[in-house]
Amino acid sequence: MFWKAAALVFIFAAGSGAAGIATGYPVSDGNGKSKWRRTTTTTATTTPATTTASTTTVGTTTSTMTASTPDASIQNWTDHDSANSPATGYGYDEENDGSEGIDLTYTVRNANGAQCSLDGGPYSSCYPSPWSGGRLNADAQVHTLSVRATRSSDGAVDPTPATARLIVCPYSNFNCNVSAGATATIPAVTTTTSTTTTTTTTTPPPPSGTVLFRGDYETGNFAQWAEPQSACTGGGYSVSNVGNSCDSILSAPVRQGSRAAQFQISPHTSTAATAERAEVYASVAQTGGYEGQEWYYAWSTMFPAAGNPLGFWPSAANWNVFTDWHNPGGCNSNIQLGINATGALPYLYFEDDNFASGNCSSPSSMLYTNLGNLQYDRWYDFVVHVKWSRSASVGFVELWLDGVKVVPLTYRQTMADVAGASVYWKQGFYRSAFGGLNTAYHDGARRGDTLAAVTG
């Protein structure tokens, strides 16, 4: 039946931006509880998330010896003992003692000195040029000299030494007719500069706080909650008082862990209640629903397209409820979330009703927020932050959807000012009699004392 029209003020918000005033009139839900029919529409706006970052750039210089351009050259080898030095690259044993002294002439540029190695031996300083080297066997063997540039500032040495060869002819063969050794170059000593950039981005602190209640269905049943409310789960609930409804546990789809819950209401039949529900609820203690207490509530919800083939009950703006915090007894809720299907495209809504003292059925004002058009087959992640109070100057509420704050912290009455004032948390699906199938999945419900506790 329709209730007598009464004056009502809506305070509504679209997205988290626009707000306005509208009027409406109450509609009975068939069980003596009034639901309000809105007579205005709103346009959604979006408030972007804010990200803060800082960047620090640090320059570093690395000096290396590289093989890019010539830095030093081996000029020649000379016969140390002979006044008449033979051609560069070979000498002979004038003393007939089986060995020959040698001199090395070289140049080094852009470095502090040079190191020499004979026949693969260890490097030692041969600076400055000319260098009088050791004695080499005079048996026409090929001998190898290596020279590399050095830098005293950091101890760097050339990675690619210059090499040349020398033939020492024995006394019996003054000119052993072995080709002279070729000259070689030492690669340049070069300096390269690299820049290292370190970027520091602000991140939230590690999760802190405590989760005080979980209703994530990981137990494989409804034992975490005070009670399931559906015809198929029994316990005093039947088609005649909750409709053709069923609560069940699923292994897929899930948002977290290995279990989720399905809440399903079949098409209305003549023997079914006119207010149909498939829900679970937490006790007041599990909810923490007492005056002055402040909590964060988080959970995830999905609406499968195949499970809602005809959409949703279309005749009022604030039914099709999937989560609410219920006042005691036969009272309505102050805070609820649902689906508004009165227009061409259904959208999610958030609602906070305020009631006059002693009243919990006829709201005096309403905070109503359009959360955006419904998207099927995707998980929505919700976080509601509430301070429970009968006073609009003490209580407040704010809401995040998928990590974005869509309802800013707003001071409102969050529980009705009635005897035994308290609230208890419900989730599932609740509607008026409707000729279509409705299905909702819920997962990961939890209550914590900080935002980090329920989102970490």
Side-chain angles (χ1 to χ4, degrees):
M1 71 178 199
F2 288 92
W3 287 46
K4 181 179 179 181
L8 170 68
V9 176
F10 288 101
I11 303 174
F12 64 88
S16 57
I21 303 295
T23 59
Y25 53 88
V27 181
S28 171
D29 70 358
N31 285 339
K33 300 179 182 179
S34 61
K35 310 300 289 184
W36 286 85
R37 186 189 304 277
R38 292 189 53 213
T39 58
T40 64
T41 58
T42 62
T43 302
T45 61
T46 302
T47 300
T50 301
T51 302
T52 303
S54 62
T55 302
T56 302
T57 301
V58 179
T60 61
T61 300
T62 302
S63 297
T64 59
M65 308 282 285
T66 62
S68 57
T69 59
D71 182 72
S73 298
I74 295 176
Q75 303 301 312
N76 55 50
W77 300 76
T78 59
D79 185 335
H80 179 70
D81 296 330
S82 174
N84 299 312
S85 177
T88 298
Y90 66 92
Y92 77 102
D93 181 13
E94 299 97 329
E95 296 84 0
N96 195 22
D97 60 0
S99 65
E100 181 58 47
I102 56 99
D103 289 341
L104 171 67
T105 303
Y106 60 87
T107 61
V108 177
R109 292 177 292 274
N110 303 319
N112 303 104
Q115 295 178 341
C116 295
S117 169
L118 286 172
D119 292 333
Y123 282 91
S124 60
S125 175
C126 57
Y127 185 81
S129 178
W131 171 68
S132 296
R135 300 188 69 81
L136 304 178
N137 289 338
D139 57 2
Q141 291 182 353
V142 177
H143 298 280
T144 301
L145 174 68
S146 298
V147 181
R148 66 186 185 187
T150 68
R151 185 168 54 222
S152 61
S153 61
D154 58 5
V157 296
D158 198 308
T160 310
T163 60
R165 66 175 187 166
L166 176 68
I167 307 299
V168 179
C169 298
Y171 183 80
S172 59
N173 185 2
F174 176 78
N175 188 351
C176 53
N177 296 319
V178 179
S179 299
T183 62
T185 59
I186 302 174
V189 179
T190 61
T191 299
T192 62
T193 302
S194 62
T195 301
T196 301
T197 301
T198 302
T199 301
T200 302
T201 302
T202 57
T203 55
S208 60
T210 304
V211 173
L212 297 106
F213 166 74
R214 287 191 185 275
D216 56 12
Y217 309 105
E218 292 302 302
T219 57
N221 53 37
F222 296 104
Q224 296 167 306
W225 298 81
E227 185 179 54
Q229 296 177 312
S230 74
C232 77
T233 51
Y237 299 97
S238 64
V239 172
S240 63
N241 57 24
V242 294
N244 295 284
S245 62
C246 192
D247 299 351
S248 58
I249 303 297
L250 302 176
S251 58
V254 299
R255 182 59 168 149
Q256 56 84 54
S258 60
R259 296 287 187 274
Q262 173 180 276
F263 301 88
Q264 192 166 72
I265 306 175
S266 297
H268 180 72
T269 61
S270 60
T271 60
T274 55
E276 302 174 317
R277 74 180 71 238
E279 295 179 302
V280 289
Y281 75 89
S283 67
V284 174
Q286 290 173 315
T287 304
Y290 302 102
E291 173 71 37
Q293 294 199 358
E294 178 183 345
W295 306 110
Y296 291 82
Y297 302 86
W299 76 98
S300 300
T301 299
M302 177 193 289
F303 297 96
N308 299 279
L310 301 182
F312 302 89
W313 185 71
S315 300
N318 58 350
W319 217 333
N320 301 313
V321 176
F322 58 86
T323 298
D324 69 300
W325 287 264
H326 213 283
N327 286 302
C331 290
N332 283 343
S333 305
N334 279 73
I335 298 175
Q336 66 183 37
L337 292 96
I339 298 172
N340 183 329
T342 58
L345 295 175
Y347 63 83
L348 303 179
Y349 72 84
F350 170 83
E351 179 182 333
D352 179 6
D353 295 345
N354 278 194
F355 302 96
S357 180
N359 186 298
C360 61
S361 59
S362 300
S364 57
S365 71
M366 178 187 297
L367 172 66
Y368 193 94
T369 306
N370 179 344
L371 303 179
N373 291 341
L374 173 66
Q375 298 179 36
Y376 292 104
D377 299 317
R378 59 153 286 187
W379 285 105
Y380 288 98
D381 298 325
F382 297 91
V383 178
V384 174
H385 177 204
V386 185
K387 183 171 184 179
W388 299 113
S389 181
R390 293 167 290 182
S391 170
S393 63
V394 176
F396 59 74
V397 63
E398 59 184 334
L399 168 67
W400 290 263
L401 175 57
D402 295 332
V404 177
K405 185 179 287 189
V406 291
V407 176
L409 191 147
T410 306
Y411 279 86
R412 299 280 296 169
Q413 181 193 71
T414 52
M415 60 196 306
D417 185 12
V418 294
S422 60
V423 295
Y424 57 96
W425 189 8
K426 303 187 73 174
Q427 69 173 209
F429 199 73
Y430 176 47
R431 72 181 193 188
S432 183
F434 179 55
L437 174 69
N438 283 138
T439 306
Y441 301 139
H442 291 286
D443 198 3
R446 59 237 184 243
R447 171 177 66 94
D449 54 9
T450 66
L451 179 62
V454 298
T455 58

